[in-house]
Amino acid sequence: MERKKNVSKEQIEQARSLDLLSYLQQYEPQELVRVGSGVYSTRTNDSLKISHGKWFRWSTGVGGVSALDYLVKVRGMGFVEAVSQLCDCLRFEPPVKVYTPKPQKKPPFILPKSFKNNDRVIDYLMRRGIGLPLLRFCINTGRLYEDERHNCCFVGFDPQGAPRYAMLRSSDPASTFLREVEGSDKRYSFSLPPQTSSCKLFLFESAIDCLSFAELQRMDSADCKPDNYLSLSGVYQPRKELAETPLPIALTQFLKDNPWISHVALCLDNDEAGMKAAMTISALLSEKYTTELLPPEVGKDYNDQLMYRKKLVMNIKTRGAKSAPHHSMEEMAR
């Protein structure tokens, strides 16, 4: 009702025609930060990334294309106010050029150079509860190492054993640095070696959650047989219509490469974005696979649960705020 009373359909269409990058380049250039080849962020929200004509805010799982979506979803501006502001911008100062995304050649994938040892990475991940035997296994198989800037480098491999993907996470608890290595192929996200003896796959948002869950399994039973574990390397955002929503590309590739999998346990974050993603994936897999929603019992993710289980305290700075636990720590303590 508010839209009809205050702005016309033509004004809404005009406002939606302006993409976010063009808007920031023309009207708020001081807010625009270039972070890579064809990738931009904003000074106010460093978790928001703009690439190939689209934008996505990783801390909240919200994204879009237009500047209008950005003003409403990120700036918290009222719809009518945002439409009016954009129409005023276009009327008094038309953009010099409208951004048109151009196909870019994918850069070659090259793993970052390793540091002479892995001491800082081991110390950081052990302080987050992951045991030394599991870390040594990942280091010895090339799945984890410390790069020259002391980041944790989590590596993903194709079925032939060639590294095809890498995610960097700072080993400094006070840093929010997290990014993929340029040229990474997300089909081959971080995973632990496939186990033909198990038909079950455990699915996570991050490599640290994946390792945390494996550590919890080891704590529960020292002689437990390993299962299949895969990280999506980020938040999966379903589309509005289920029929138009593809499965995460890493999950699609893993199931293709490991056809013995028949059951998928969805161990995504215990927040709104994680639960929505888990339910969507479950619905998309329902015809060929059995599924279960397996969020952590304590905290936002399985690393929270592992640290609670081991009674560890570490102030870890993340891009997204921690959600309320599914079961509060006080309830679990009782």
Side-chain angles (χ1 to χ4, degrees):
M1 293 300 292
E2 183 189 8
R3 297 184 186 184
K4 293 181 179 179
K5 286 181 179 179
N6 295 275
V7 291
S8 67
K9 182 179 179 182
E10 290 73 21
Q11 286 177 303
I12 295 173
E13 290 177 356
Q14 184 183 25
R16 286 200 186 282
S17 69
L18 186 60
D19 67 89
L20 179 56
L21 182 56
S22 296
Y23 170 78
L24 293 174
Q25 285 175 331
Q26 182 70 13
Y27 308 111
E28 297 187 36
Q30 74 285 351
E31 182 69 8
L32 196 59
V33 179
R34 188 175 184 272
V35 295
S37 177
V39 182
Y40 296 83
S41 183
T42 63
R43 296 192 187 280
T44 306
N45 296 286
D46 65 352
S47 74
L48 187 146
K49 298 294 182 289
I50 308 167
S51 177
H52 300 291
K54 298 180 180 179
W55 63 267
F56 189 82
R57 190 181 184 189
W58 291 96
S59 62
T60 58
V62 171
V65 175
S66 69
L68 179 59
D69 290 336
Y70 166 78
L71 292 178
V72 173
K73 297 177 181 179
V74 177
R75 293 279 184 86
M77 193 177 290
F79 183 85
V80 171
E81 181 187 359
V83 170
S84 299
Q85 175 173 310
L86 292 173
C87 288
D88 286 343
C89 287
L90 293 168
R91 181 167 64 253
F92 296 115
E93 191 181 355
V96 176
K97 67 170 184 175
V98 176
Y99 173 71
T100 337
K102 296 180 181 178
Q104 294 184 348
K105 187 177 179 181
K106 190 174 182 180
F109 174 67
I110 302 173
L111 284 172
K113 291 183 179 179
S114 60
F115 188 59
K116 61 183 179 180
N117 59 53
N118 298 291
D119 294 352
R120 293 195 193 184
V121 163
I122 291 174
D123 177 69
Y124 170 73
L125 293 174
M126 286 188 69
R127 289 168 68 193
R128 293 190 67 164
I130 301 169
L132 185 58
L134 181 55
L135 294 177
R136 289 292 185 199
F137 171 80
C138 290
I139 290 169
N140 292 339
T141 56
R143 285 172 166 77
L144 171 67
Y145 69 92
E146 182 174 328
D147 75 1
E148 286 186 322
R149 296 185 177 183
H150 308 294
N151 296 305
C152 308
C153 186
F154 297 98
V155 184
F157 297 85
D158 65 18
Q160 288 70 47
R164 300 282 296 276
Y165 178 89
M167 174 67 80
L168 300 176
R169 199 322 178 180
S170 174
S171 62
D172 178 359
S175 172
T176 61
F177 178 76
L178 178 73
R179 75 168 179 86
E180 292 180 343
V181 172
E182 281 198 343
S184 286
D185 188 339
K186 205 155 188 169
R187 291 178 299 169
Y188 304 103
S189 293
F190 178 87
S191 65
L192 295 182
Q195 302 293 322
T196 56
S197 59
S198 172
C199 63
K200 182 179 288 189
L201 169 65
F202 291 92
L203 191 66
F204 308 87
E205 288 185 17
S206 73
I208 290 179
D209 290 343
C210 178
L211 295 176
S212 297
F213 184 89
E215 180 71 13
L216 284 164
Q217 282 190 313
R218 185 198 64 77
M219 291 171 65
D220 289 334
S221 176
D223 59 352
C224 69
K225 294 182 179 179
D227 286 296
N228 298 281
Y229 312 87
L230 172 66
S231 160
L232 295 179
S233 299
V235 180
Y236 167 68
Q237 186 181 31
R239 297 177 184 171
K240 290 184 179 179
E241 299 295 332
L242 184 65
E244 299 175 357
T245 302
L247 279 170
I249 189 171
L251 175 59
T252 299
Q253 189 67 43
F254 193 92
L255 294 175
K256 178 182 176 182
D257 294 337
N258 303 283
W260 60 85
I261 301 294
S262 61
H263 181 84
V264 180
L266 299 153
C267 310
L268 307 186
D269 285 5
N270 189 15
D271 56 14
E272 184 178 352
M275 294 304 293
K276 182 180 179 181
M279 289 187 286
T280 302
I281 294 171
S282 179
L284 292 170
L285 291 175
S286 60
E287 290 188 8
K288 294 184 179 180
Y289 302 88
T290 57
T291 61
E292 64 178 312
L293 270 60
L294 200 63
E297 294 178 345
V298 172
K300 176 178 175 287
D301 53 42
Y302 272 99
N303 188 243
D304 280 354
Q305 182 165 324
L306 175 63
M307 292 183 69
Y308 173 74
R309 178 87 174 269
K310 289 192 171 185
K311 296 180 173 58
L312 297 174
V313 177
M314 184 183 186
N315 187 17
I316 305 164
K317 192 173 182 181
T318 59
R319 291 179 176 179
K322 293 286 184 180
S323 67
H326 183 62
H327 299 294
S328 71
M329 295 201 178
E330 290 81 4
E331 289 174 337
M332 293 296 290
R334 294 193 197 110

